[in-house]
Amino acid sequence: MSSSEEADEVCVNCGQAAVDDTNLKLCACLLVKYCSVDCQLNHRPQHKKACKKRMAEIRDRILFQQPDISHFGECPLCCLPLSLDWSKSGKRTCCSKWVCMGCVYANKKREMEQGLEHRCPFCREPDATTKAARHKNSMKRVKANDPIAICEMGKEHRDRGQYDAAFEYFKKAAELGLADAHFNLSVLYRKGQGVEVDLKKEHYHLEEASIGGHPKARNNLALIEQRRGRIDRATKHFIISAKLGDDDAFNKLKFGFAHGLVSKEDYDAALHGHAAALDATKSEQREEAYTSFAQNKVVFLSIFIAAIAI
């Protein structure tokens, strides 16, 4: 065993070795170990600075890791990434699934051709044709602890100005790991709606949402970093967001490149990543749906709205 490994096997405060009746526990920074809470508290003044520095490095490594996909995720039917343009997909109240326009169109087209009753393209539940029925479905999903349904309920209360209730719904959905709930909490903390203004908590929830693939949250982080003069960090945020297919982030990078604020290497990476993300959301089925929409908006909207509760 090396000297460094031996050092790892003793309490950094009292020197107690790891034996059968003594389990050493790592500090959250992963740098040192302690045999007890008392030893950790006693050693805190000596370790605090290094611990905070290491924790910030760990947080940054997580924060600046490129997500595989945006917080919208994939269409549960065609398994392709959903577009960041929310109008190209819709949420079903019966199962809380976001389904792309292509799959909605294909399902409705099949039902019309075969004379079938309309059902959810994912869970096959009968269509909820009234606002009351859709609300009932949503409340069932809320009671089932569905984070998407909980977050949507928070948005309904927020839009009615009921910020205290909105906060509770967003908080619960965030605890269940929903990136969009973290983003909405960040807005409440920034504006002081339902809570006291708290910019530290706003920043925390923006980071959590960004880690979950939320481009708008990451763009907000980038703007905060810009105001602080930390252009390198802002650029990193915009690049990650652009690679998720976000047009706003890409346009900001394009502007920065034109004015010498973004390197050619970073701009090229964002350019190719942005194009790849957009291409990943395309399919023949979706293109057919978009074409049908362009040719006959009235008919298509009647199909889409009947099939989806947005």
Side-chain angles (χ1 to χ4, degrees):
M1 181 181 294
S2 68
S3 58
S4 61
E5 288 175 327
E6 289 175 354
D8 286 343
E9 297 307 313
V10 299
C11 173
V12 71
N13 183 61
C14 69
Q16 172 70 48
V19 292
D20 292 342
D21 58 347
T22 301
N23 293 317
L24 301 181
K25 294 184 178 180
L26 269 172
C27 178
C29 67
L30 308 179
L31 292 175
V32 295
K33 293 181 179 180
Y34 298 100
C35 65
S36 67
V37 174
D38 286 341
C39 272
Q40 186 171 12
L41 292 174
N42 290 334
H43 190 252
R44 183 64 179 167
Q46 298 168 252
H47 180 56
K48 183 177 180 180
K49 186 175 180 180
C51 184
K52 289 183 69 175
K53 180 181 177 182
R54 180 59 175 164
M55 290 297 290
E57 291 171 352
I58 292 173
R59 181 66 169 178
D60 270 5
R61 187 165 64 243
I62 296 170
L63 179 61
F64 288 110
Q65 183 175 343
Q66 180 71 45
D68 294 330
I69 197 170
S70 82
H71 69 293
F72 278 114
E74 299 176 342
C75 172
L77 295 177
C78 65
C79 297
L80 293 176
L82 290 169
S83 171
L84 296 183
D85 181 353
W86 66 267
S87 68
K88 293 184 177 180
S89 61
K91 185 185 74 67
R92 296 292 310 195
T93 58
C94 46
C95 55
S96 292
K97 295 296 183 182
W98 284 88
V99 181
C100 76
M101 186 185 287
C103 288
V104 170
Y105 177 74
N107 181 62
K108 188 63 178 179
K109 183 179 178 182
R110 175 186 62 84
E111 290 173 336
M112 292 176 69
E113 290 173 348
Q114 299 178 18
L116 302 174
E117 176 189 11
H118 176 63
R119 292 177 177 270
C120 170
F122 179 77
C123 69
R124 301 304 182 189
E125 282 293 310
D127 186 36
T129 57
T130 66
K131 184 176 180 179
R134 289 193 289 271
H135 180 75
K136 184 177 180 181
N137 281 345
S138 295
M139 290 310 299
K140 284 182 181 179
R141 298 308 306 160
V142 168
K143 291 177 181 178
N145 260 357
D146 186 315
I148 293 177
I150 293 170
C151 186
E152 291 300 313
M153 196 59 62
K155 291 177 183 178
E156 286 189 22
H157 284 281
R158 177 203 61 198
D159 293 344
R160 293 197 293 262
Q162 299 167 340
Y163 299 117
D164 290 345
F167 174 78
E168 293 301 325
Y169 279 113
F170 290 146
K171 180 182 177 183
K172 185 173 182 180
E175 289 170 352
L176 292 170
L178 190 69
D180 196 35
H182 280 292
F183 173 73
N184 281 282
L185 281 174
S186 77
V187 176
L188 294 186
Y189 277 114
R190 174 166 53 85
K191 294 183 176 181
Q193 295 174 330
V195 289
E196 294 293 326
V197 171
D198 192 324
L199 299 185
K200 286 186 177 180
K201 288 183 178 180
E202 176 209 5
H203 200 272
Y204 167 77
H205 287 292
L206 284 176
E207 287 190 344
E208 289 296 302
S210 298
I211 291 168
H214 201 297
K216 192 169 183 179
R218 193 170 287 279
N219 291 349
N220 284 359
L221 279 180
L223 294 174
I224 290 172
E225 297 291 8
Q226 278 188 337
R227 290 196 294 269
R228 293 174 176 175
R230 301 197 286 197
I231 304 302
D232 287 347
R233 291 176 67 87
T235 299
K236 287 181 181 179
H237 283 307
F238 282 136
I239 290 173
I240 292 172
S241 191
K243 287 183 176 180
L244 290 174
D246 185 72
D247 294 334
D248 185 46
F250 177 69
N251 288 332
K252 283 183 169 58
L253 288 168
K254 189 175 181 180
F255 177 86
F257 175 65
H259 289 78
L261 300 174
V262 176
S263 70
K264 186 178 187 305
E265 181 181 3
D266 284 343
Y267 176 70
D268 286 344
L271 175 64
H272 294 301
H274 181 257
L278 295 181
D279 286 343
T281 66
K282 296 177 181 178
S283 71
E284 290 185 9
Q285 183 171 276
R286 292 182 181 183
E287 292 305 315
E288 181 183 350
Y290 304 152
T291 300
S292 178
F293 173 72
Q295 291 176 346
N296 197 332
K297 294 184 179 181
V298 175
V299 173
F300 186 88
L301 281 174
S302 67
I303 292 174
F304 190 59
I305 293 172
I308 289 286
I310 299 177

